[in-house]
């Protein structure tokens, strides 16, 4: 697992938990959902910088207005890293 971009202040369990949640979402999860689950923005940014996840802005229409949301998805590298973390 690439560790050079992972912040040591976050426990490996937090990364494992985030990757597990993302692995269970075929379309990824919005940043708002991840924040609601207690993940910090800098932890999510660490995952993206390390190549374990991707983040893309999307436009969503809620019926009355257009909103911009960020969707985070696990990468193939992230899935491999999750397998390694689960073995520990």
């Amino acid at each position: 697992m690439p560790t050079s971009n992972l912040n040591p202040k976050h426990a490996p369990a937090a990364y494992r938990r985030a990757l597990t949640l993302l692995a269970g979402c075929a379309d990824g999860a919005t940043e708002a959902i991840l924040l609601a689950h207690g993940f910090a923005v800098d932890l999510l940014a660490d995952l993206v910088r390390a190549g374990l996840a991707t983040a893309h802005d999307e436009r969503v229409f809620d019926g009355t207005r257009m909103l911009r949301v960020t969707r985070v998805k696990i990468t193939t590298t992230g899935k491999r890293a999750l397998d390694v973390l689960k073995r520990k």
Side-chain angles (χ1 to χ4, degrees):
M1 174 168 101
T3 57
S4 60
N5 294 325
L6 297 181
N7 190 334
K9 82 175 188 175
H10 296 295
Y15 291 112
R16 183 176 60 242
R17 210 168 61 84
L19 290 171
T20 299
L21 189 146
L22 291 172
C25 302
D27 294 329
T30 64
E31 182 181 23
I33 293 293
L34 294 165
L35 294 175
H37 278 272
F39 299 109
V41 172
D42 59 333
L43 181 139
L44 301 175
D46 289 347
L47 292 175
V48 171
R49 277 192 296 269
L52 304 176
T54 59
H56 299 283
D57 286 338
E58 296 180 356
R59 293 185 180 177
V60 179
F61 187 69
D62 78 348
T64 58
R65 62 183 177 207
M66 189 70 68
L67 302 171
R68 219 173 79 197
V69 299
T70 301
R71 183 168 302 277
V72 181
K73 294 182 181 182
I74 193 168
T75 62
T76 303
T77 303
K79 289 177 184 176
R80 281 191 223 117
L82 181 58
D83 288 340
V84 170
L85 287 170
K86 285 182 176 179
R87 282 187 245 146
K88 289 184 178 183

